[in-house]
Each structure stands twice: as structure tokens, then as C-alpha cells.
Amino acid sequence: MLLEGKNAVIYGGGGAIGGAVARAFAREGARVFLAGRTMAHLEEVAGQIRGAGGTAETAEVDALREDQIDAHADAVATRAGSLDICLNVISHGDVQGTPFVEMALEDYLRPVETAVRTTFLTSRAAARHMARQGSGVILAFGGSGEPPRDGYLGGLQVAFEAIESMRRQISSELGRHGVRFVTLRTGGVPETIPSRVEGREEIAASIEQSSMLGRAATLEDVGNVAAFVASDRARTMTAATANISCGALID
């Protein structure tokens, strides 16, 4: 098992990406701590993990609240003995579909401010324990990419770019303590598009058609790569991105 004996905190663990990664981590032997604001969603994922023989715990945590984040990270490290992996995949509140010239400033800034705040707080909380341990992995999700010429993404990609800048800075500071920071880049995961979204099938098709392999990453793909990157087999990877976009994003 890639992650046997590891303790992983996943903020946004009740969502599609967070749930997929949590299931993969648990399958590879990690003890998973799911954190988020909606307990029903967290418990659904935890139930799936426990049903498959894994170990999962849930906690209501607002990943924008410093006090809640620090208290939860401290509790995990104390109870489990270590905090080895931290992944933040909470929603950033971005507004898409509105042309730039019609967008309100607060709608554009919201995902940027949210991404920076939550990445800072959750990474710092985890890093304090990881640095003392002399090891640990912080994972982000999203990464840089070319803006689509016919899409209206608002501040979404600006938020991703901010996280990438933080990844480089945090990696450079924490490397001496044995702590790694890697971003997962997908170019889009069709399974995460809600069924209620108008034009869902067309969007999914465009994601697949834009890739070199003619397909897109699945939730299972994301989980598998995240588990590998978080494992000691990827111990040489830091200040880096793992490109799992099927060639939609070119390094």
C-alpha cells in the first residue's frame, strides 16, 4: 500500500474531487480525515470508505476560519500521531459565464481572495506539524492553463495562478524541513460537471476534444495520481505540478 500509516486531511472532502482522492488514499492504507462545512456530504464519503474496509473520520470545519483550521489540524496530529498529507479542494465561489465587461468586481475577486486565504491557512496549519515531523506533503488542485477563447471564467484562473505562486514560495521555504508541495492539473474532469448545468454534454465533449488523447481525466484518475504523489515513491517531487490532463495542458 502506497500510504500505509499515513494520516491525510482533506478539506472539501465531501465533494467530487475530495471524495475521489479520499477513497484512493484510504484504499492505499491512509487514515483519512474529511473536513468541510456539510456533514451529510462528508459522512457519505466516509461511509463509502468504511464500507470498503478503510478508516475515515469527519469534522465540520470552515476552511476559511483560522481558529477552526488550526484546532482541527492540532487535534488530528495529537490523536493520530502525525499529519502527513494535506489537500484543499474547497469551492472558491467563482462566477462563470459572465463576460468580463459585465462582471462585478466582487465576483471577480471572490475566488482569488478565497483561494489565497484558504490555501494559506490550511497549508500553514499542516506545515507546522510537518516541519516538526521532518516530512509531509501538501497538495493543491487546479494549476495554470491557457484561458479558453470562447469561455467566461471570471477570476477562476487568476485564483489558480495565485495558488501556483504560493506553491513555489511555500515549497522553497519548507523543503529544508522535508515538506513537499505539488499541484494536480487536469484540464477539467467531466464527472464533476453537475447534471443541472446547461450544455453539460457539450462542455464535457469540448474537454475531451481539447486533449491529445481524445479523453479526459476521470475522478478515479485524479485519486490514483494524488495517492502516488502523496506517497514516498514520489519523494523527489516538490515545487512541481502533476499534469494529468491527457495532453489538454502542455508543459
Side-chain angles (χ1 to χ4, degrees), residues 93 95 103-111 113:
V95 174
M103 178 160 283
L105 174 61
E106 55 269 26
D107 287 341
Y108 192 86
L109 290 179
R110 186 183 306 109
E113 294 173 342

Side-chain angles (χ1 to χ4, degrees), residues 94-98 100 103 107-108 111 151-158:
D94 51 287
V95 174
Q96 299 185 40
T98 301
F100 174 76
M103 178 160 283
D107 287 341
Y108 192 86
Y152 303 111
L153 300 183
L156 174 66
Q157 288 190 307
V158 180

Side-chain angles (χ1 to χ4, degrees), residues 17 141 186-193 200 207 216-220 222:
I17 297 295
F141 183 83
T186 68
V189 182
E191 291 168 272
T192 66
I193 305 172
R200 181 186 185 282
I207 293 173
T218 65
L219 287 173
E220 184 177 4
V222 174

Side-chain angles (χ1 to χ4, degrees), residues 200-248:
R200 181 186 185 282
E201 297 303 321
E202 291 77 7
I203 296 171
S206 69
I207 293 173
E208 295 170 352
Q209 291 165 7
S210 67
S211 74
M212 294 180 181
L213 299 179
R215 53 185 170 83
T218 65
L219 287 173
E220 184 177 4
D221 291 329
V222 174
N224 289 339
V225 173
F228 169 76
V229 171
S231 77
D232 291 339
R233 292 188 184 180
R235 66 191 187 97
T236 58
M237 295 179 64
T238 193
T241 63
N243 187 336
I244 50 177
S245 70
C246 297

Side-chain angles (χ1 to χ4, degrees), residues 6-10 13-14 18-19 21-27 29-35 39 41-59 72 76 79-80:
K6 303 291 187 181
N7 299 302
V9 176
I10 301 177
V21 175
R23 289 188 291 271
F25 281 1
R27 186 180 65 244
R31 182 178 177 182
V32 179
F33 295 84
L34 304 172
M39 284 298 294
H41 295 164
L42 298 175
E43 282 297 335
E44 181 179 356
V45 175
Q48 294 167 354
I49 290 172
R50 294 168 188 146
T55 303
E57 298 183 26
T58 61
H72 179 256
V76 168
R79 209 163 60 245

Side-chain angles (χ1 to χ4, degrees), residues 92-168:
H92 295 157
D94 51 287
V95 174
Q96 299 185 40
T98 301
F100 174 76
V101 295
E102 299 174 11
M103 178 160 283
L105 174 61
E106 55 269 26
D107 287 341
Y108 192 86
L109 290 179
R110 186 183 306 109
V112 181
E113 294 173 342
T114 299
V116 171
R117 181 180 181 86
T118 192
T119 300
F120 176 87
L121 291 174
T122 57
S123 297
R124 187 186 66 178
R128 286 171 172 167
H129 296 284
M130 293 175 177
R132 285 196 291 268
Q133 298 164 188
S135 65
V137 182
I138 299 171
L139 298 177
F141 183 83
S144 302
E146 294 294 326
R149 289 170 174 78
D150 57 352
Y152 303 111
L153 300 183
L156 174 66
Q157 288 190 307
V158 180
F160 285 159
E161 292 289 353
I163 293 174
E164 291 300 79
S165 181
M166 296 177 75
R167 170 182 57 78
R168 291 187 286 269

